Amino acid sequence: MGSFDHVFEPLRIGSLTAKNRIECSPAIPFLASEDFFVTRELIEWYRRIAQGGAGVVTIGETSIDYEDAHKHGRLNVLCLADSRSVNGLSVLVETIHRYDAIASIELNYEGLSSPTDMSAEEIKAVIDRFADAALRCKQAGLEMIMIHGGHGHLVGSFFSPATNGRSDSYGGDLRKRSRFAIEVLEAIRAKIGDDVALEYRISADELVPGAATVDETIEFATMIEDKIDLLHVSAGNLYVQETSPRMIQPIYVPRGINVDYAARFKQALKIPVATVGSLTMDMAEEIIARNRADMVAMIRTIIADPDCVKKAREGRADDIRPCVRCNRCLSDTREYTRPTRCAVNPVAGREVEFLSQPAAGAKRKVVVIGGGAGGMEAARTAAGRGHHVVMFEKDSQLGGALTAASSPPFKEDMKKYLDWARRTAAKTSNIDIRLSTEATPEVVSAESPDVLVIAVGGSPAVPPVPGIDRENVVWAGDVDSGRVEAGSTIVVVGAGLMGCETALHLAQTGRRVTVIDALPLEQIASDVHPISRTALLDMLQGALVEMKTETALEAVTGAGAVVRGADGESSEIPCDSVVLAAGVMPRSDLVERFKGLADEVHVIGDCRRERGDLRYAITDGFNAAIDI
């Protein structure tokens, strides 16, 4: 990793100067109160981000209308519908300012009806709400406001011919479709003056039939250029699921796919342009250096490691904890309004919990059995608290199940996390790593541990069917890691995340693959975030993987897999290999062998629960170590 000279150049945005070219892009952590106000949890979420060094910290998507927020299930988010919001918001702004960052906020209105159905009075009312909310932002001390004009929300849907069917002065040609956005911006500017900067978020391409072309959107941008100070270029439409992987790119989609859009807007405009979309600090430096954008916005990279900007500035870019783009930070938030969590950063969304975390008391000897993701997290955290850690790993390298999970070429993000985890564990003082050493009760007892962390993982779930022990039956993890070579025609049993990824990996290497699962189509890959699931299923279809749902494995023969379909009829699928991906089972018997070897014992990860999940393994490891 090289220098970051271009990233740390200041940037003029209207009357403001950002200390660097990194913007924390808006996201909803769902940490506000149920009645839409600032909480201590929300303050500490943004404090941690601001401490990390971004030049602009943008408070996540904020409603301007209570009814709109309720209709779209936006509980535990901010709403600036009346002046009661100013008090708490001002405290949040003070917190961001403390760390020399520009405090910004994204205002949005999803819409109670479509642009086509709104009356002139309703249009005027929404414009007024935007302006009133913007004034409250200024009263709270915010220096910048982002207007959400993309992703299919109301402002953007007025501009899009795909959603605006009006025949009056707000619909039709480009200028008429632009009128609503222009009036929103003019009303806001009239309320807040020129000393608050305006950023406008746009979908360069909604990626839906009938939407505006990129050239039309660029022309629109030139029409509003004199009314804004920064243009934020994204893509996609939140209301069309198929476009979601282009909006919030999962691990299966290349990083930086919006940069080309931003570069085109930058060529056409005089104001600065921001780009967004799975960007890292290394990518940010290259983008700025090549003059493809003026500012780089990111959020998942910052959630994974809030200190990523600071580490880059200090020459410690190798220490940045990588985001694996699993979209765990989105899981359960919008559907259930649970607070945001991160697979690789166990503190994200829990900042308040650790504000007064007591320092470790007496230094203790901690033995960690298993060097997978959870074991490495437990070892690093315990050692960081001053304890002496001995970690046993039976393989010749750390990684555990993460080694297989990061093996397919499309899992590069996971591989980077694994490399980081190995690297940081190896250089953390107080950790004695013993590779190629299988822990036995005798070996562990010889260490006289004060604390034992058991992270022995899970065993493959094996369906109890005839022939399951045949030589042509292999486990997906062994196939992914290269320990076992599969044949040219394959049946994968299980259509969860592991099964689907293994099937895709095999198909991409030229195999003919069929996936079977007893669940119906709408329930397969249910352990994957919907955005990631959409991309994964599209890739499976593109790789010609055959999916047989509501289909159960009955037996394995030398010629293939005998299955029973939804109609109750049995048939045989010819194949060279049957690959098991039916989940993992906790290694409870192994756990029991170790439990009495220390006064304090923590069982973490896959050996604790019946689902292999990176977030739970890492969080378990962290929680165990922080409690020692």
Side-chain angles (χ1 to χ4, degrees), residues 122-441:
E122 289 171 327
I123 290 174
K124 177 65 166 59
V126 171
I127 292 171
D128 288 344
R129 289 189 191 106
F130 266 110
D132 291 342
L135 179 59
R136 293 180 189 112
C137 293
K138 181 176 181 178
Q139 291 168 343
L142 284 146
E143 303 147 286
M144 193 156 94
I145 299 169
M146 177 191 288
I147 304 304
H148 202 330
H151 297 170
H153 297 307
L154 185 70
V155 179
S157 64
F158 261 92
F159 172 70
S160 175
T163 48
N164 186 345
R166 301 180 73 94
S167 57
D168 61 1
S169 59
Y170 287 98
D173 62 28
L174 175 65
R175 185 159 294 278
K176 290 180 178 178
R177 287 185 281 110
S178 303
R179 180 182 171 186
F180 181 75
I182 289 172
E183 290 186 353
V184 167
L185 293 171
E186 289 177 343
I188 289 173
R189 189 61 81 187
K191 285 271 190 177
I192 65 174
D194 295 327
D195 53 341
V196 176
L198 282 182
E199 180 176 5
Y200 191 87
R201 193 176 206 185
I202 202 167
S203 286
D205 189 339
E206 285 191 294
L207 306 170
V208 297
T213 66
V214 178
D215 287 338
E216 285 180 305
T217 309
I218 291 174
E219 185 177 351
F220 165 69
T222 64
M223 293 166 59
I224 64 171
E225 184 175 14
D226 63 338
K227 307 177 193 311
I228 62 175
D229 303 291
L230 178 65
L231 186 74
H232 180 110
V233 180
S234 185
N237 185 314
L238 185 65
Y239 302 90
V240 180
Q241 181 66 29
E242 291 75 18
T243 77
S244 59
R246 293 290 301 273
M247 286 177 50
I248 307 172
Q249 302 84 19
I251 195 170
Y252 315 109
V253 177
R255 291 177 179 269
I257 58 176
N258 292 333
V259 176
D260 287 343
Y261 291 135
R264 290 183 61 181
F265 281 82
K266 180 167 171 54
Q267 289 177 347
L269 301 175
K270 297 182 179 63
I271 61 172
V273 170
T275 186
V276 68
S278 298
L279 301 174
T280 65
M281 290 301 298
D282 284 330
M283 295 177 72
E285 174 63 20
E286 180 182 2
I287 289 165
I288 303 300
R290 293 177 59 194
N291 204 30
R292 307 197 75 201
D294 303 286
M295 175 157 275
V296 172
M298 56 180 70
I299 182 61
R300 287 178 295 173
T301 293
I302 291 174
I303 293 174
D305 191 339
D307 289 327
C308 61
V309 180
K310 180 190 298 184
K311 289 177 179 178
R313 189 184 69 243
E314 295 174 351
R316 299 187 294 122
D318 279 349
D319 292 340
I320 295 173
R321 179 172 45 215
C323 167
V324 298
R325 294 196 297 159
C326 62
N327 285 335
R328 171 60 67 181
C329 52
L330 301 175
S331 296
D332 299 332
T333 54
R334 288 184 178 265
E335 184 175 358
Y336 302 113
T337 64
R338 294 179 184 173
T340 291
R341 296 290 186 262
C342 174
V344 300
N345 176 8
V347 178
R350 303 168 63 198
E351 291 79 10
V352 168
E353 184 179 343
F354 301 105
L355 286 177
S356 57
Q357 180 68 30
K363 307 308 179 188
R364 309 179 74 187
K365 186 170 186 179
V366 181
V367 170
V368 179
I369 305 174
M376 286 189 284
E377 183 71 31
R380 281 195 310 270
T381 305
R385 287 171 58 77
H387 302 297
H388 176 66
V389 179
V390 176
M391 180 162 58
F392 291 103
E393 171 52 52
K394 65 180 180 180
D395 288 339
S396 60
Q397 58 183 347
L398 298 175
L402 195 55
T403 302
S406 62
S407 295
F410 52 83
K411 299 295 289 294
E412 181 182 0
D413 293 328
M414 199 71 77
K415 179 65 166 58
K416 287 182 177 179
Y417 174 81
L418 175 58
D419 290 344
W420 172 88
R422 287 171 172 166
R423 188 169 62 246
T424 53
K427 71 180 185 181
T428 300
S429 59
N430 296 339
I431 301 181
D432 177 4
I433 301 173
R434 302 187 188 174
L435 300 175
S436 303
T437 305
E438 184 167 2
T440 65

Side-chain angles (χ1 to χ4, degrees), residues 485-506:
E485 184 74 17
S488 58
T489 57
I490 295 163
V491 169
V492 176
V493 181
L497 175 62
M498 173 179 262
C500 288
E501 288 188 341
T502 300
L504 178 60
H505 183 201
L506 291 168

